[in-house]
């Protein structure tokens, strides 16, 4: 009995000691959190103070020492700094006052009652969409007066929507609200960015700034690999892929300080509100405009493992349908218009979501909601730990990209070698007639290019560009386009139709990148990749249709 009592006392004593130790550990963690809170607050106040001091100084210098105007400096000088200053303080005001106090009351007393009222109106949504359709048709009737050939592009849009419906994995689950608003947004962006010069200039400025930011990675890459390989020869592995290291490094730091969580939530709200898509896929679609398929998913890294198949399909479709800011300079060097390159990517953002939700509708419960995204905290010990882990993740992605590109592109050239040999045996030896995957697809794509609005006598040329882009990559396609004699409108339509990453090498990149970021979902990625590849291709074609619809044959483009 005494031994039993003694053992029981020892156990109780150990339990009490463990509880005391747990209490000390908890207390230490709370102290660390408290000290970290005050340190972060002090850093934020110091940063805001420095921003104000510099802005006042810059304002004084701009007014007193220069003769520049705000309009002339909106993208390069004081005007641009003023815009950033306003955005920074709007973000602070939104977080501290608008979001916690104003927005809940607005939703409760204004927005929700308005939505409920509209829902009570019988066939209210149908009436609204019919009115929008009538407005668009009226605009096109007036705008295409004397140039009805442009309306063929409208037929092309209808054909692609029908194809998406036929390919849909679950036709009964299609959310037509999302599809319709995606088309409306795409057309509206086309009006603002193709027809309105100011809109083009704004997006050109944003694209230039993002491109400049990512190019800072070239300085680090040139230090490691040498200026010859990085800047003079522009070797892909050392030039274009360097931005992934830098971007992953920066993203992890922003996650550590909680900045990226707010950016992710904020950017997705508008698209989510308009189209009814989830916040993660909405944010990804917006950020892919400038960051590309490899970098954009890094912003959603903590949430990828919980995404539904439809959300994953949307992310992949957006990656295939757009290009990143890092490669625009290469396309421009081949003669492509910077304004149209930016416009093509921006217009494809809502279109990619629209078409993805048509082909792969949502059938599961969405886990990564806005509330959970804002609550996620990255598990980093320090800002240096966050930065180092970002570069480690980037290393895995870069290695995967390089290996996949070598394998996929080599395979295409292997197929072309066989086709060329078979053609040679039956007399096709001329350089322009050598059998290849691109040549065959150029013939196949003739009707596709025609319904985009290309003149019939140039359809095969544009179709060949699409074939090259689809089976090799868009770099080769833009290079080929620079040597082609195309009319201005056909060149613009071709630019829009090939301005996307949908090619075999990108399939490997997509699987490698997302497979690294979500290793437990590789089977899902393999199942969805070809469907999203096709959706990405058709998204580019739809954007080209909108361009063909809005640009006249004799207009300056």
């Amino acid at each position: 009995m005494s031994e039993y009592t003694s053992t029981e006392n020892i156990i109780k004593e150990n339990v009490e000691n463990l509880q005391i130790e747990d209490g000390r550990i908890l207390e230490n963690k709370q102290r660390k959190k408290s000290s970290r809170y005050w340190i972060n607050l002090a850093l934020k106040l110091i940063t805001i103070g420095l921003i104000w001091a510099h802005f006042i100084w810059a304002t004084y210098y701009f007014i007193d020492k220069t003769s520049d105007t705000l309009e002339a400096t909106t993208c390069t000088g004081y005007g641009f700094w003023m815009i950033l200053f306003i955005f920074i303080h709007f973000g602070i005001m939104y977080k501290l006052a608008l979001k916690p106090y104003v927005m809940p009351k607005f939703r409760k007393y204004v927005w929700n009652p308005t939505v409920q009222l509209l829902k009570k109106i019988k066939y209210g949504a149908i009436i609204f969409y019919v009115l929008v359709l009538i407005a668009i048709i009226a605009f096109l009737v007036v705008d295409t007066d004397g140039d009805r050939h442009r309306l063929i592009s409208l037929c092309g849009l209808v054909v692609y929507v029908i194809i998406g419906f036929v390919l849909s994995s679950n036709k009964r689950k299609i959310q037509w609200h999302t599809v319709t608003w995606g088309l409306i947004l795409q057309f509206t962006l086309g009006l603002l960015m193709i027809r309105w010069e100011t809109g083009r200039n704004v997006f050109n400025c944003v694209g230039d700034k993002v491109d400049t930011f990512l190019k800072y990675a070239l300085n680090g890459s040139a230090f490691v690999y040498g200026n010859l390989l990085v800047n003079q020869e522009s070797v892909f592995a050392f030039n274009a892929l360097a931005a992934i290291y830098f971007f992953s490094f920066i993203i992890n730091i922003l996650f550590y300080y909680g900045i990226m969580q707010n950016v992710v939530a904020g950017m997705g709200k508008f698209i989510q509100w308009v189209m009814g898509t989830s916040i993660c896929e909405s944010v990804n679609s917006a950020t892919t405009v400038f960051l590309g398929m490899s970098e954009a998913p890094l912003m959603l890294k903590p949430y990828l493992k919980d995404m539904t198949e439809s959300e994953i399909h949307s992310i992949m479709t957006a990656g295939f349908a757009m290009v990143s800011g890092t490669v625009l300079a290469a396309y421009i060097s081949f003669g492509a218009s910077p304004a149209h390159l930016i416009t093509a990517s921006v217009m494809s953002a809502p279109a990619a979501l629209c078409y993805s939700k048509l082909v792969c509708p949502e059938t599961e419960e969405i886990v990564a909601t806005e509330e959970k995204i804002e609550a996620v905290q990255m598990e980093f010990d320090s800002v240096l730990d966050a930065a180092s882990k970002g570069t480690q993740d980037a290393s895995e992605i870069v290695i995967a990209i390089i290996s996949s590109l070598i394998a996929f592109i080599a395979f295409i050239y292997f197929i072309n070698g066989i086709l060329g040999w078979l053609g040679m045996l039956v007399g096709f030896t001329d350089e322009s007639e050598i059998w290849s995957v691109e040549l065959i697809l150029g013939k196949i794509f003739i009707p596709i290019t025609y319904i985009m609005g290309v003149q019939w006598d140039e359809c095969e040329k544009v179709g060949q560009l699409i074939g090259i882009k689809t089976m090799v990559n868009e770099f080769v396609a833009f290079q080929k386009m620079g040597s082609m004699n195309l009319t201005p409108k056909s060149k613009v339509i071709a630019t829009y139709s090939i301005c996307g990453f949908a090619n075999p090498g990108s399939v490997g990149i997509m699987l490698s990148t997302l497979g690294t970021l979500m290793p437990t979902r590789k089977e899902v990625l393999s199942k969805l990749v070809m469907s999203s590849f096709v959706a990405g291709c058709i998204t580019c074609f739809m954007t080209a249709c909108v361009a063909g619809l809005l640009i006249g044959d004799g207009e300056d483009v």
Side-chain angles (χ1 to χ4, degrees):
M1 185 71 178
S2 60
E3 289 182 4
Y4 176 79
T5 305
S6 177
T7 304
E8 186 179 8
N9 290 335
I10 292 172
I11 293 173
K12 285 182 179 180
E13 184 177 347
N14 289 335
V15 170
E16 288 174 358
N17 289 335
L18 287 173
Q19 289 175 344
I20 292 171
E21 187 65 26
D22 289 342
R24 288 174 181 171
I25 293 172
L26 183 61
E27 185 178 353
N28 288 333
K29 285 184 177 180
Q30 289 175 344
R31 285 178 181 174
K32 285 182 179 180
K33 285 185 178 180
S34 178
S35 61
R36 183 180 293 181
Y37 168 80
W38 289 109
I39 291 171
N40 288 339
L41 179 61
L43 288 174
K44 289 175 183 177
L45 291 174
I46 291 171
T47 302
I48 293 171
L50 291 173
I51 289 172
W52 268 93
H54 184 272
F55 182 74
I56 293 170
W57 189 3
T59 303
Y60 166 76
Y61 181 82
F62 176 76
I63 295 173
D64 194 58
K65 304 293 183 180
T66 68
S67 57
D68 293 333
T69 62
L70 283 175
E71 184 178 358
T73 60
T74 51
C75 192
T76 56
Y78 176 77
F80 184 71
W81 178 216
M82 178 181 281
I83 293 171
L84 287 179
F85 185 82
I86 293 171
F87 270 106
I88 289 169
H89 285 80
F90 176 80
I92 295 171
M93 183 176 65
Y94 177 80
K95 185 175 182 179
L96 297 179
L98 293 178
K99 183 179 178 180
Y101 303 112
V102 178
M103 294 305 294
K105 292 182 179 179
F106 175 79
R107 280 193 289 265
K108 182 177 179 180
Y109 297 111
V110 179
W111 179 254
N112 291 339
T114 303
V115 171
Q116 293 301 321
L117 179 64
L118 291 175
K119 285 182 177 180
K120 291 179 180 179
I121 300 175
K122 193 173 183 180
Y123 306 118
I126 295 176
I127 294 171
F128 172 78
Y129 291 131
V130 169
L131 290 175
V132 170
L133 181 62
I134 291 173
I136 292 174
I137 291 174
F139 168 79
L140 292 175
V141 168
V142 175
D143 195 57
T144 59
D145 186 27
D147 188 14
R148 300 298 187 195
H149 181 266
R150 286 161 54 190
L151 294 176
I152 292 176
S153 301
L154 182 62
C155 298
L157 274 175
V158 175
V159 169
Y160 292 133
V161 171
I162 293 173
I163 291 173
F165 178 77
V166 172
L167 296 176
S168 179
S169 60
N170 195 326
K171 297 178 178 58
R172 293 184 179 181
K173 292 286 185 177
I174 295 174
Q175 294 294 323
W176 289 104
H177 166 87
T178 298
V179 175
T180 304
W181 271 105
L183 294 171
I184 292 173
L185 277 179
Q186 187 185 34
F187 184 78
T188 303
L189 287 170
L191 284 176
L192 293 176
M193 300 178 66
I194 294 176
R195 286 303 184 88
W196 191 34
E197 186 178 356
T198 303
R200 273 202 313 271
N201 292 337
V202 168
F203 281 94
N204 264 329
C205 178
V206 174
D208 289 342
K209 296 304 178 186
V210 172
D211 192 29
T212 300
F213 170 75
L214 292 176
K215 279 184 177 177
Y216 287 123
L218 298 182
N219 297 318
S221 185
F223 177 80
V224 174
Y225 301 117
N227 189 62
L228 176 66
L229 292 174
V230 177
N231 293 317
Q232 295 181 29
E233 298 296 332
S234 297
V235 177
F236 180 77
F238 307 131
N239 183 294
L241 297 185
I244 296 177
Y245 290 105
F246 180 46
F247 188 73
S248 182
F249 177 90
I250 294 295
I251 285 296
N252 271 26
I253 292 175
L254 295 177
F255 265 118
Y256 176 78
Y257 285 113
I259 297 172
M260 191 51 62
Q261 286 89 326
N262 291 326
V263 172
V264 167
M267 288 183 63
K269 284 178 182 176
F270 176 74
I271 296 179
Q272 181 190 31
W273 173 63
V274 174
M275 296 185 62
T277 48
S278 75
I279 192 164
C280 282
E281 60 193 358
S282 302
V283 168
N284 180 80
S285 184
T287 53
T288 306
V289 171
F290 299 110
L291 303 180
M293 66 166 65
S294 300
E295 298 95 333
L298 293 173
M299 294 185 68
L300 303 169
K301 187 162 54 176
Y303 327 120
L304 292 174
K305 66 181 185 302
D306 297 322
M307 286 190 177
T308 65
E309 289 191 8
S310 180
E311 287 179 302
I312 293 173
H313 190 278
S314 295
I315 287 175
M316 298 170 80
T317 300
F320 287 129
M322 290 174 267
V323 296
S324 66
T326 56
V327 297
L328 292 184
Y331 303 157
I332 294 168
S333 68
F334 298 139
S337 165
H340 287 301
L341 289 172
I342 293 287
T343 303
S345 268
V346 173
M347 288 174 60
S348 292
L353 275 177
C354 157
Y355 212 77
S356 178
K357 292 305 177 184
L358 185 61
V359 174
C360 185
E362 187 62 78
T363 58
E364 305 171 65
E365 183 180 353
I366 295 173
V367 177
T369 59
E370 179 184 332
E371 294 76 15
K372 291 185 178 180
I373 282 179
E374 293 180 337
V376 166
Q377 296 294 325
M378 299 293 285
E379 295 298 326
F380 300 127
D381 295 330
S382 65
V383 65
L384 291 177
D385 180 50
S388 63
K389 286 182 178 177
T391 56
Q392 290 172 13
D393 293 342
S395 297
E396 294 180 16
I397 292 173
V398 168
I399 292 171
I401 288 172
I402 291 173
S403 59
S404 297
L405 275 176
I406 292 172
F408 274 87
I409 293 177
F411 179 72
I412 293 301
Y413 278 95
F414 167 67
I415 298 297
N416 283 347
I418 294 175
L419 290 174
W421 177 69
L422 293 174
M424 179 193 68
L425 295 178
V426 291
F428 289 89
T429 56
D430 189 82
E431 185 176 351
S432 62
E433 296 180 340
I434 294 177
W435 288 4
S436 66
V437 174
E438 306 94 81
L439 185 68
I440 294 170
L441 288 176
K443 302 288 186 182
I444 295 173
F445 284 142
I446 287 177
I448 290 177
T449 56
Y450 182 72
I451 63 175
M452 289 180 191
V454 178
Q455 295 291 339
W456 180 257
D457 57 348
E458 294 186 313
C459 282
E460 186 171 351
K461 291 182 179 179
V462 177
Q464 189 175 5
L465 292 176
I466 296 173
I468 293 172
K469 175 257 184 182
T470 305
M471 297 311 299
V472 184
N473 60 46
E474 73 287 346
F475 288 96
V476 181
F478 275 113
Q479 187 178 35
K480 180 73 173 177
M481 187 179 73
S483 63
M484 279 186 175
N485 185 21
L486 296 171
T487 60
K489 181 176 179 178
S490 294
K491 188 173 182 180
V492 170
I493 293 175
T495 299
Y496 282 66
S497 63
I498 64 177
C499 189
F501 282 148
N503 58 66
S506 292
V507 172
I509 292 174
M510 183 68 75
L511 289 175
S512 301
T513 302
L514 293 182
T516 303
L517 295 174
M518 51 172 97
T520 60
R521 309 296 297 278
K522 288 184 178 180
E523 188 175 331
V524 174
L525 295 174
S526 300
K527 182 178 75 171
L528 298 176
V529 68
M530 291 315 299
S531 173
S532 59
F533 176 86
V534 173
C537 287
I538 296 180
T539 297
C540 294
F541 301 160
M542 291 173 65
T543 305
C545 285
V546 174
L549 190 59
L550 295 176
I551 298 174
D553 288 329
E555 293 183 15
D556 182 16
V557 293

